[in-house]
Amino acid sequence: MKAIVTVIGKDKPGIIAAVSGMLAGHNINIEDISQTVLQGNFTMIMLVSMDRSRLSITELSEATSALSHEVGVEIHVQNEEIFNAIHKI
Amino acid sequence: MLSKNEILETVNMVRQEHFDVRTITMGISLLDCIRGDAESTAQAAYEKICRRAEKLVSVGEELSAEYGVPIVNKRISITPASLITSGFRGKEPEFARWLDRAAKETGVDFLGGYSALVHKGMTPSEENFLRSIPQVLAETEKICSSVNIGSTRAGINMDAVRMVGELIMETAALTADRSAFGCAKFVAFCNAVEDNPFMAGAFHGVGEGDCVIHVGVSGPGVVHHAIRQIPDADLMTVAETVKKTAFKITRVGQLIATEAARRLGAEQGIVDLSLAPTPVMGDSVGHILEEMGIETVGGHGTTAALALLNDAVKKGGTMASSRVGGLSGAFIPVSEDIGMIQAAGKGVLTLSKLEAMTAVCSVGIDMVAIPGDCTAATVSAIIADEAAIGMVNNKTTAVRVIPVPGKKVGDFVEFGGLLGSAPIIAVKPSSAERFIARGGTIPAPIHGNKN
């Protein structure tokens, strides 16, 4: 299963390291990544594959929610299907 | 690959625009639960509900976490209870208590379907059933009730309308200590639909399958945000923008409906394309109309703006779902919509204007608090007016009014949670006693005879 991880918050050093480190620790592969500063906000979007991870997407959400408090950014994890449903016909 | 903008647009729908799936409602047929006595029937119904809906709440939470979209309510609708209890007169409240227990056991927010369909006539057992409604609404927590009193094919059963007015006053009196909260769990319908996932009017029609998943979407905040981006656009552009937004919202509903049905082993039912507001700022249908250019919702132009909105929601949503149903359109529940609450407080949004609005949107006079000293005949007359609009226009209309004992026009009443709060709105002082006392039937309109 593929998921989209979105990270939004105030820019500071170490955000990418913290998020990608956590994903690697759970054997989640990053297939695509883009990062930018939008309206003063650090914004990172990652397409990740969970096929080799033991975590379910719900568990990943819980893990990112803990990390989001630690790093001070918003992290959203969503099944890729919802984006396809909305934007692809 | 999805573009960055597409992804952020979706993320922001939830983050900033209050997008949610308002409800996953499991419709359960109880026709196979009828036994030889009331007790065994109630137990069979309890067991079937608990079995079929055992995982409804957990699957709802799972889907919510997985897709990152809040699913606010998980609900159950059942076969109209009057059909199940018809052989057991006097045992209706006991049956309702079993239903309430089942709702609590499964952890759902509400269970709808303590209902009767009496649009053409009423059996003695249905009359008895109707008389049990105030007690049931006062004694149970999760049970919602509805009565269909008219249809385009049958006309309006004015004997039922008279009775329902009395039942609403009785419910208000029995729940006076809770601001007549019992009335918030009751709807009188004309042209009730059999697959409505929204409360208080949900029931599982006899034409439905054994166990069906319906989904009601929401999203006034998302539509409001989209219109805010085009402050100077003409109304055709506004309509196109609403259509596109409704399409996106409904695609999420369709996805959730498919997945929920699969995981729960139930048949996939309909997606209800409704704009259902909440009392939170930024989630108001009233504010959408104001964003379109009406200074205060309820002012002149409101009906036209609402007609545009309602139609565009249907057009956009219909393309996004394989099966559309329920009420499908913009809701205007006054106490649940911060824009409507404000407009009613200013005296701009009146009962007369709300009535006009219901001719062009998907519901009726909904969550309107009225003075507690109004008469049962006045409540019946409000229901009759709404039913006439529904009957003549081939659409569903509903009345959920709350006559709050001890409260007068200008007072404020709190219901709490999604049901919100509302100023008491004036009813007309003119009496409808003689009209309502006549009883009988208002015949169906000529265009109701379509065959």
Side-chain angles (χ1 to χ4, degrees):
Chain A
M1 181 204 283
K2 289 188 172 43
I4 303 267
V5 178
T6 323
V7 183
I8 303 167
K10 196 161 176 286
D11 197 10
K12 65 178 181 186
I15 299 177
I16 297 180
V19 177
S20 56
M22 188 271 286
L23 294 172
H26 291 298
N27 216 14
I28 293 168
N29 189 40
I30 301 172
E31 295 194 346
D32 197 351
I33 180 166
S34 81
Q35 178 254 305
T36 181
V37 176
L38 268 182
Q39 294 156 358
N41 270 333
F42 170 88
T43 307
M44 176 167 71
I45 299 167
M46 290 188 285
L47 174 67
V48 303
S49 166
M50 304 198 53
D51 294 343
R52 276 187 275 167
S53 176
R54 284 190 187 170
L55 286 194
S56 72
I57 190 161
T58 316
E59 287 162 339
L60 176 62
S61 275
E62 283 160 17
T64 52
S65 149
L67 184 69
S68 116
H69 285 292
E70 212 174 288
V71 185
V73 290
E74 277 180 48
I75 309 177
H76 303 272
V77 181
Q78 290 166 280
N79 188 325
E80 188 199 18
E81 291 282 305
I82 190 166
F83 299 92
N84 291 333
I86 292 179
H87 298 289
K88 305 226 180 294
I89 299 173
Chain B
M1 177 64 186
L2 294 147
S3 79
K4 194 186 297 176
N5 284 343
E6 287 169 342
I7 290 171
L8 291 177
E9 180 192 330
T10 304
V11 171
N12 283 335
M13 277 166 68
V14 175
R15 232 181 119 233
Q16 296 176 335
E17 298 154 20
H18 305 284
F19 176 61
D20 57 55
V21 167
R22 185 53 46 84
T23 180
I24 297 181
T25 303
M26 178 181 271
I28 303 173
S29 170
L30 296 184
L31 290 171
D32 59 354
C33 298
I34 301 173
R35 304 283 185 271
D37 64 275
E39 176 86 10
S40 317
T41 301
Q43 272 181 17
Y46 171 85
E47 279 159 22
K48 182 168 185 186
I49 293 167
C50 291
R51 178 165 49 83
R52 294 311 311 237
E54 185 189 2
K55 292 187 178 154
L56 177 59
V57 172
S58 61
V59 165
E61 283 165 1
E62 191 179 293
L63 290 170
S64 181
E66 186 171 326
Y67 291 105
V69 177
I71 297 171
V72 181
N73 286 295
K74 294 87 183 171
R75 298 162 169 168
I76 293 169
S77 63
I78 57 159
T79 308
S82 64
L83 301 175
I84 311 299
T85 61
S86 65
F88 316 119
R89 274 210 249 165
K91 303 283 188 184
E92 295 89 351
E94 180 57 22
F95 185 72
R97 282 191 282 274
W98 277 94
L99 295 176
D100 204 33
R101 262 175 247 149
K104 287 174 187 164
E105 176 69 27
T106 51
V108 294
D109 301 283
F110 284 112
L111 184 151
Y114 195 79
S115 306
L117 310 175
V118 295
H119 40 280
K120 199 166 182 194
M122 202 187 298
T123 63
S125 70
E126 280 167 337
E127 187 175 340
N128 216 57
F129 179 88
L130 257 62
R131 297 214 183 281
S132 75
I133 290 173
Q135 183 193 344
V136 165
L137 291 174
E139 286 180 358
T140 59
E141 266 180 59
K142 309 272 186 188
I143 305 301
C144 290
S145 174
S146 56
V147 176
N148 194 52
I149 49 81
S151 77
T152 303
R153 292 301 295 261
I156 304 172
N157 180 347
M158 289 298 289
D159 293 319
V161 168
R162 179 174 57 196
M163 200 169 152
V164 167
E166 290 163 4
L167 297 176
I168 289 173
M169 294 308 291
E170 196 184 329
T171 305
L174 287 177
T175 55
D177 57 332
R178 286 163 277 165
S179 305
F181 181 70
C183 298
K185 298 184 288 178
F186 177 82
V187 187
F189 274 118
C190 177
N191 290 326
V193 291
E194 300 202 325
D195 52 11
N196 168 19
F198 286 100
M199 295 297 169
F203 65 86
H204 186 70
V206 290
E208 296 279 320
D210 189 54
C211 181
V212 186
I213 289 292
H214 304 301
V215 163
V217 297
S218 176
V222 184
V223 173
H224 187 184
H225 176 81
I227 297 178
R228 200 160 50 218
Q229 309 309 309
I230 48 165
D232 303 316
D234 69 12
L235 290 170
M236 181 67 91
T237 310
V238 171
E240 287 299 309
T241 304
V242 175
K243 265 165 71 178
K244 285 178 194 157
T245 311
F247 177 84
K248 291 175 184 172
I249 291 169
T250 310
R251 290 281 281 186
V252 176
Q254 174 76 13
L255 175 67
I256 297 286
T258 306
E259 271 305 301
R262 189 180 65 79
R263 293 182 194 189
L264 289 162
E267 186 188 329
Q268 184 178 340
I270 56 92
V271 177
D272 190 315
L273 317 171
S274 288
L275 286 184
T278 63
V280 176
M281 193 54 115
D283 203 21
S284 155
V285 170
H287 285 165
I288 295 176
L289 304 176
E290 292 176 0
E291 189 65 48
M292 283 164 71
I294 308 295
E295 184 183 5
T296 304
V297 61
H300 296 300
T302 300
T303 311
L306 182 60
L308 181 157
L309 176 67
N310 198 61
D311 181 64
V313 166
K314 280 187 206 289
K315 285 174 179 161
T318 302
M319 291 296 290
S321 171
S322 51
R323 214 171 192 190
V324 168
L327 299 168
S328 282
F331 287 2
I332 50 169
V334 175
S335 76
E336 301 173 12
D337 184 309
I338 186 71
M340 306 260 175
I341 296 168
Q342 289 164 342
K346 286 182 199 164
V348 178
L349 185 63
T350 60
L351 204 52
S352 305
K353 192 62 181 178
L354 280 164
E355 190 181 306
M357 290 161 75
T358 65
V360 300
C361 77
S362 71
V363 278
I365 303 284
D366 194 16
M367 287 304 287
V368 173
I370 56 177
D373 62 0
C374 75
T375 65
T378 297
V379 174
S380 292
I382 293 171
I383 294 170
D385 281 344
E386 270 306 301
I389 290 172
M391 174 180 78
V392 172
N393 292 297
N394 289 302
K395 71 181 288 291
T396 305
T397 44
V399 172
R400 182 163 52 151
V401 289
I402 303 143
V404 189
K407 297 281 184 182
K408 296 186 180 59
V409 175
D411 289 348
F412 218 78
V413 60
E414 282 283 344
F415 300 112
L418 278 183
L419 293 171
S421 57
I424 306 287
I425 293 183
V427 298
K428 300 217 184 272
S430 158
S431 166
E433 296 281 351
R434 280 186 54 230
F435 181 68
I436 297 301
R438 284 175 186 271
T441 298
I442 296 182
I446 184 69
H447 59 262
N449 188 5
K450 281 186 198 159
N451 282 347

